[in-house]
Amino acid sequence: MTTTPTLTLDVARIRQDFPELSVPFHDKPLIYLDSAVSGLTPKAVVDRVSHYQSFEHTNVHRGVSTLSQEATDRFEEAREKVRAFINAPSAAQIIWTRGTTESINLVAQTFGRSKVGAGDEILLSAMEHHSNIVPWQLLAEEKGAKIRVIPMNDDGELILDDLESLLTERTRILGVTQVSNVLGTINPVKEIIRRAHAKGVPVLVDGAQGVPHLPVDVTDLDADFYAFSGHKLSGPTGIGVLYGRRELLEAMPPWQGGGSMILSVTWEKTTFCGLPTKFEAGTPAIAQAIGLGAAIDYIQGLGLARIAAHEHDLLAYATERCASVPGLRIIGQAKHKASVLSFVLDDIHPHDIGSILDHEGIVVRAGHHCAQPVMARFGIPATTRASFAYFNTREEIDALVSGILKVQEIFK
Ligand code: 7TS
């Protein structure tokens, strides 16, 4: 007889993987509800980076030394782990960057610069992080192009009724986040990509908040570009990924020039490597890439379906508990949400809320979350945001709600 695998995580055991959770914070247990800012790093990842740096390190793709070849193997194995994790057709289409921000800048500065001209349009969603706005504004300014915006409703869902009319013959690229870092909205990116492709427009998906919570299959999505950061996926900072469709990457000019990315250099002419090295000038973040590979192993060991089920439970519980607090308004009420809960409380400034919660040992983020156009859309300067991960518990959400009630008590 086969048994259905249980979808529960052993959270008590998982918490032991995070040394940071065992260190008192303001003399209290740390309650980390800020994984949308950056995930905590499990010990397995720290140990892998430390082992690499202690025993395996030298530069990669350089020379015939066994040490360099082995470091190169570990580095390329990590690339293959990323490929498999997002189901890209080939590891050559996985480009290491510093993070989502750099991945998007790379696309804007190479694909964008070669494809976008005066009078052309760049279509972005109303809920983008600044890193999927500002690189396009810089490009639009340089080229005399125009940014257009897909609007959203009061629940924080994109209004896609007029998508076809926003996709004009001048649209050169559509940029959309898979999950909003402020509202938690999970956008229907597969449908958006299908409709953009029907009009011949390529799509860049910002996966910074998607990849930690949802199984991602770039082939099934048919994404043209997919960007994410290692540090939001329990990996190290300083490493990120750009996936791109092969034909597009091959046609794109290099971005930064330097060592490693060339085939030959003379004073007259330089020729460049193929993918992915063409976009990886200089010494890469080797330990961080290997650490990201270890983070993927760790996440896969827990199981994305289990992670999603646990986080879904936490979000539902937090939403219900917070909704019962008088004077608390949740910003972002989309039908499909990942584990992000933003709110405003009476007329108390989120910075005050964040500071008081901090003294209770509860880490949340207060501010505009690098998404000022989202704040403007909702007519607010800032929100307080709690974001949940696989190591959080319902008890921590109870503590959050008690903390919120304490804030109200202080400001009465
Ligand atoms: N895109 C989204 C949707 C994000 O949430 C972030 C970071 C980025 C891009 C940029 O990622 P980076 O790793 O290149 O910095 N979001 C947040 C946040 O919500 N709070 O702090 C950073």
Side-chain angles (χ1 to χ4, degrees), residues 123 150 158-168 174 188-203 221-222:
L123 183 58
I150 305 170
L158 291 180
I159 301 169
L160 296 171
D161 304 349
D162 297 328
L163 183 60
E164 275 67 22
S165 59
L166 285 166
L167 289 160
T168 72
L174 187 164
V189 286
K190 187 171 174 179
E191 180 201 334
I192 293 171
I193 291 168
R194 181 181 56 73
R195 289 166 66 178
H197 285 178
K199 302 274 263 180
V201 175
V203 179
L221 287 178
D222 206 15

Tab-separated table of all heavy atoms in Angstrom, residues 123 150 158-168 174 188-203 221-222:
chain	number	residue	atom	x	y	z
A	123	LEU	N	6.845	48.345	-21.024
A	123	LEU	CA	5.626	48.163	-20.234
A	123	LEU	C	5.964	47.471	-18.921
A	123	LEU	O	6.573	46.394	-18.918
A	123	LEU	CB	4.625	47.325	-21.053
A	123	LEU	CG	3.253	47.075	-20.429
A	123	LEU	CD1	2.532	48.377	-20.107
A	123	LEU	CD2	2.400	46.210	-21.361
A	150	ILE	N	0.940	48.843	-16.351
A	150	ILE	CA	-0.271	48.009	-16.195
A	150	ILE	C	-0.853	48.344	-14.813
A	150	ILE	O	-0.173	48.169	-13.806
A	150	ILE	CB	0.073	46.504	-16.237
A	150	ILE	CG1	0.848	46.150	-17.507
A	150	ILE	CG2	-1.183	45.658	-16.101
A	150	ILE	CD1	1.433	44.734	-17.501
A	158	LEU	N	-3.305	42.946	-10.513
A	158	LEU	CA	-3.144	43.642	-11.788
A	158	LEU	C	-4.454	43.595	-12.564
A	158	LEU	O	-5.152	42.580	-12.570
A	158	LEU	CB	-2.030	42.999	-12.608
A	158	LEU	CG	-0.611	43.192	-12.057
A	158	LEU	CD1	0.406	42.503	-12.958
A	158	LEU	CD2	-0.267	44.672	-11.890
A	159	ILE	N	-4.766	44.713	-13.232
A	159	ILE	CA	-5.951	44.766	-14.093
A	159	ILE	C	-5.467	44.450	-15.501
A	159	ILE	O	-4.756	45.255	-16.120
A	159	ILE	CB	-6.617	46.165	-14.030
A	159	ILE	CG1	-7.005	46.472	-12.584
A	159	ILE	CG2	-7.818	46.238	-14.967
A	159	ILE	CD1	-7.423	47.921	-12.348
A	160	LEU	N	-5.829	43.263	-15.957
A	160	LEU	CA	-5.257	42.787	-17.223
A	160	LEU	C	-6.240	42.919	-18.389
A	160	LEU	O	-5.922	42.525	-19.512
A	160	LEU	CB	-4.803	41.326	-17.070
A	160	LEU	CG	-3.657	41.148	-16.049
A	160	LEU	CD1	-3.397	39.674	-15.774
A	160	LEU	CD2	-2.389	41.833	-16.544
A	161	ASP	N	-7.425	43.510	-18.122
A	161	ASP	CA	-8.443	43.613	-19.176
A	161	ASP	C	-7.910	44.337	-20.402
A	161	ASP	O	-8.235	43.991	-21.530
A	161	ASP	CB	-9.678	44.389	-18.658
A	161	ASP	CG	-10.247	43.753	-17.405
A	161	ASP	OD1	-9.813	42.626	-17.079
A	161	ASP	OD2	-11.089	44.383	-16.742
A	162	ASP	N	-7.082	45.375	-20.164
A	162	ASP	CA	-6.617	46.188	-21.292
A	162	ASP	C	-5.182	45.866	-21.687
A	162	ASP	O	-4.510	46.681	-22.333
A	162	ASP	CB	-6.722	47.678	-20.935
A	162	ASP	CG	-8.163	48.076	-20.681
A	162	ASP	OD1	-9.049	47.481	-21.330
A	162	ASP	OD2	-8.404	48.943	-19.823
A	163	LEU	N	-4.711	44.683	-21.291
A	163	LEU	CA	-3.309	44.360	-21.568
A	163	LEU	C	-2.992	44.457	-23.061
A	163	LEU	O	-1.955	45.010	-23.445
A	163	LEU	CB	-2.978	42.950	-21.041
A	163	LEU	CG	-1.529	42.510	-21.195
A	163	LEU	CD1	-0.572	43.450	-20.456
A	163	LEU	CD2	-1.335	41.075	-20.679
A	164	GLU	N	-3.910	43.950	-23.912
A	164	GLU	CA	-3.623	43.956	-25.352
A	164	GLU	C	-3.459	45.381	-25.892
A	164	GLU	O	-2.654	45.616	-26.783
A	164	GLU	CB	-4.709	43.202	-26.141
A	164	GLU	CG	-4.468	41.691	-26.219
A	164	GLU	CD	-4.596	40.980	-24.870
A	164	GLU	OE1	-5.259	41.531	-23.973
A	164	GLU	OE2	-4.014	39.893	-24.714
A	165	SER	N	-4.233	46.324	-25.324
A	165	SER	CA	-4.072	47.696	-25.852
A	165	SER	C	-2.835	48.386	-25.270
A	165	SER	O	-2.317	49.341	-25.861
A	165	SER	CB	-5.341	48.527	-25.648
A	165	SER	OG	-5.641	48.587	-24.290
A	166	LEU	N	-2.348	47.880	-24.124
A	166	LEU	CA	-1.087	48.432	-23.589
A	166	LEU	C	0.121	47.876	-24.347
A	166	LEU	O	1.203	48.467	-24.342
A	166	LEU	CB	-0.959	48.105	-22.102
A	166	LEU	CG	-1.834	48.927	-21.149
A	166	LEU	CD1	-1.880	48.277	-19.770
A	166	LEU	CD2	-1.334	50.359	-21.052
A	167	LEU	N	-0.085	46.702	-24.951
A	167	LEU	CA	0.988	46.090	-25.747
A	167	LEU	C	0.858	46.611	-27.184
A	167	LEU	O	0.066	46.083	-27.968
A	167	LEU	CB	0.850	44.561	-25.739
A	167	LEU	CG	1.180	43.848	-24.420
A	167	LEU	CD1	0.544	42.457	-24.395
A	167	LEU	CD2	2.689	43.743	-24.227
A	168	THR	N	1.596	47.658	-27.496
A	168	THR	CA	1.453	48.267	-28.824
A	168	THR	C	2.576	47.786	-29.737
A	168	THR	O	3.456	47.034	-29.303
A	168	THR	CB	1.533	49.804	-28.728
A	168	THR	OG1	2.906	50.148	-28.452
A	168	THR	CG2	0.635	50.356	-27.644
A	174	LEU	N	8.199	43.748	-21.726
A	174	LEU	CA	7.275	43.866	-20.598
A	174	LEU	C	8.009	43.327	-19.366
A	174	LEU	O	8.584	42.238	-19.420
A	174	LEU	CB	6.012	43.045	-20.884
A	174	LEU	CG	4.821	43.152	-19.919
A	174	LEU	CD1	3.571	42.579	-20.585
A	174	LEU	CD2	5.026	42.451	-18.598
A	188	PRO	N	-0.362	36.370	-12.391
A	188	PRO	CA	-0.495	35.265	-13.353
A	188	PRO	C	0.530	35.422	-14.484
A	188	PRO	O	0.186	35.743	-15.619
A	188	PRO	CB	-1.942	35.419	-13.853
A	188	PRO	CG	-2.226	36.880	-13.717
A	188	PRO	CD	-1.417	37.387	-12.549
A	189	VAL	N	1.798	35.198	-14.163
A	189	VAL	CA	2.839	35.543	-15.136
A	189	VAL	C	2.769	34.668	-16.386
A	189	VAL	O	3.076	35.128	-17.481
A	189	VAL	CB	4.268	35.536	-14.533
A	189	VAL	CG1	4.491	36.738	-13.641
A	189	VAL	CG2	4.597	34.283	-13.796
A	190	LYS	N	2.327	33.427	-16.224
A	190	LYS	CA	2.264	32.557	-17.417
A	190	LYS	C	1.262	33.130	-18.429
A	190	LYS	O	1.543	33.197	-19.628
A	190	LYS	CB	1.880	31.137	-17.002
A	190	LYS	CG	1.964	30.153	-18.139
A	190	LYS	CD	1.806	28.718	-17.710
A	190	LYS	CE	1.746	27.826	-18.937
A	190	LYS	NZ	1.615	26.422	-18.616
A	191	GLU	N	0.128	33.571	-17.904
A	191	GLU	CA	-0.890	34.153	-18.797
A	191	GLU	C	-0.374	35.470	-19.409
A	191	GLU	O	-0.555	35.730	-20.603
A	191	GLU	CB	-2.172	34.412	-17.989
A	191	GLU	CG	-3.279	35.014	-18.832
A	191	GLU	CD	-4.341	35.745	-18.000
A	191	GLU	OE1	-4.522	35.405	-16.818
A	191	GLU	OE2	-4.960	36.678	-18.575
A	192	ILE	N	0.290	36.276	-18.589
A	192	ILE	CA	0.810	37.564	-19.090
A	192	ILE	C	1.825	37.309	-20.206
A	192	ILE	O	1.805	37.974	-21.251
A	192	ILE	CB	1.438	38.373	-17.924
A	192	ILE	CG1	0.341	38.804	-16.934
A	192	ILE	CG2	2.220	39.585	-18.438
A	192	ILE	CD1	0.857	39.414	-15.633
A	193	ILE	N	2.681	36.311	-19.994
A	193	ILE	CA	3.697	35.989	-21.005
A	193	ILE	C	3.020	35.515	-22.297
A	193	ILE	O	3.381	35.943	-23.397
A	193	ILE	CB	4.672	34.912	-20.461
A	193	ILE	CG1	5.536	35.500	-19.336
A	193	ILE	CG2	5.546	34.341	-21.575
A	193	ILE	CD1	6.320	34.479	-18.525
A	194	ARG	N	2.000	34.665	-22.154
A	194	ARG	CA	1.308	34.154	-23.353
A	194	ARG	C	0.706	35.317	-24.144
A	194	ARG	O	0.857	35.393	-25.364
A	194	ARG	CB	0.207	33.167	-22.918
A	194	ARG	CG	-0.563	32.542	-24.059
A	194	ARG	CD	-1.649	31.594	-23.578
A	194	ARG	NE	-2.618	32.183	-22.659
A	194	ARG	CZ	-3.570	33.048	-22.994
A	194	ARG	NH1	-3.707	33.430	-24.247
A	194	ARG	NH2	-4.392	33.544	-22.088
A	195	ARG	N	0.092	36.242	-23.444
A	195	ARG	CA	-0.570	37.351	-24.135
A	195	ARG	C	0.456	38.331	-24.719
A	195	ARG	O	0.243	38.898	-25.800
A	195	ARG	CB	-1.551	38.048	-23.186
A	195	ARG	CG	-2.758	37.147	-22.918
A	195	ARG	CD	-3.598	37.600	-21.749
A	195	ARG	NE	-4.263	38.876	-21.973
A	195	ARG	CZ	-5.081	39.437	-21.081
A	195	ARG	NH1	-5.330	38.842	-19.930
A	195	ARG	NH2	-5.652	40.596	-21.361
A	196	ALA	N	1.582	38.508	-24.017
A	196	ALA	CA	2.632	39.396	-24.563
A	196	ALA	C	3.252	38.752	-25.800
A	196	ALA	O	3.483	39.436	-26.820
A	196	ALA	CB	3.697	39.645	-23.496
A	197	HIS	N	3.490	37.463	-25.732
A	197	HIS	CA	4.092	36.773	-26.893
A	197	HIS	C	3.159	36.816	-28.101
A	197	HIS	O	3.636	36.903	-29.238
A	197	HIS	CB	4.432	35.324	-26.522
A	197	HIS	CG	5.660	35.210	-25.654
A	197	HIS	ND1	6.131	34.019	-25.177
A	197	HIS	CD2	6.508	36.161	-25.180
A	197	HIS	CE1	7.222	34.226	-24.440
A	197	HIS	NE2	7.464	35.524	-24.432
A	198	ALA	N	1.853	36.776	-27.850
A	198	ALA	CA	0.901	36.854	-28.964
A	198	ALA	C	1.062	38.184	-29.702
A	198	ALA	O	0.745	38.294	-30.890
A	198	ALA	CB	-0.522	36.687	-28.453
A	199	LYS	N	1.581	39.185	-29.006
A	199	LYS	CA	1.840	40.485	-29.642
A	199	LYS	C	3.329	40.662	-29.952
A	199	LYS	O	3.789	41.775	-30.220
A	199	LYS	CB	1.364	41.625	-28.734
A	199	LYS	CG	-0.124	41.564	-28.361
A	199	LYS	CD	-0.992	42.227	-29.407
A	199	LYS	CE	-1.303	43.607	-28.987
A	199	LYS	NZ	-2.092	44.457	-29.759
A	200	GLY	N	4.091	39.592	-29.825
A	200	GLY	CA	5.512	39.633	-30.190
A	200	GLY	C	6.396	40.355	-29.178
A	200	GLY	O	7.502	40.798	-29.517
A	201	VAL	N	5.947	40.461	-27.924
A	201	VAL	CA	6.716	41.220	-26.921
A	201	VAL	C	7.367	40.252	-25.918
A	201	VAL	O	6.673	39.435	-25.308
A	201	VAL	CB	5.791	42.215	-26.166
A	201	VAL	CG1	6.544	42.915	-25.039
A	201	VAL	CG2	5.206	43.234	-27.138
A	202	PRO	N	8.684	40.360	-25.726
A	202	PRO	CA	9.341	39.511	-24.722
A	202	PRO	C	9.059	39.994	-23.297
A	202	PRO	O	8.765	41.170	-23.084
A	202	PRO	CB	10.839	39.662	-25.053
A	202	PRO	CG	10.950	40.939	-25.791
A	202	PRO	CD	9.625	41.230	-26.448
A	203	VAL	N	9.174	39.066	-22.353
A	203	VAL	CA	8.809	39.378	-20.969
A	203	VAL	C	9.959	39.041	-20.021
A	203	VAL	O	10.530	37.949	-20.078
A	203	VAL	CB	7.554	38.577	-20.539
A	203	VAL	CG1	7.188	38.887	-19.075
A	203	VAL	CG2	6.372	38.892	-21.459
A	221	LEU	N	6.785	28.426	-18.064
A	221	LEU	CA	6.316	29.823	-18.100
A	221	LEU	C	6.526	30.442	-19.475
A	221	LEU	O	5.845	31.362	-19.869
A	221	LEU	CB	7.078	30.672	-17.072
A	221	LEU	CG	6.775	30.506	-15.594
A	221	LEU	CD1	7.687	31.406	-14.756
A	221	LEU	CD2	5.314	30.843	-15.310
A	222	ASP	N	7.545	29.936	-20.182
A	222	ASP	CA	7.972	30.500	-21.466
A	222	ASP	C	8.536	31.916	-21.264
A	222	ASP	O	8.391	32.789	-22.124
A	222	ASP	CB	6.795	30.510	-22.464
A	222	ASP	CG	7.280	30.462	-23.905
A	222	ASP	OD1	8.460	30.132	-24.119
A	222	ASP	OD2	6.477	30.777	-24.813
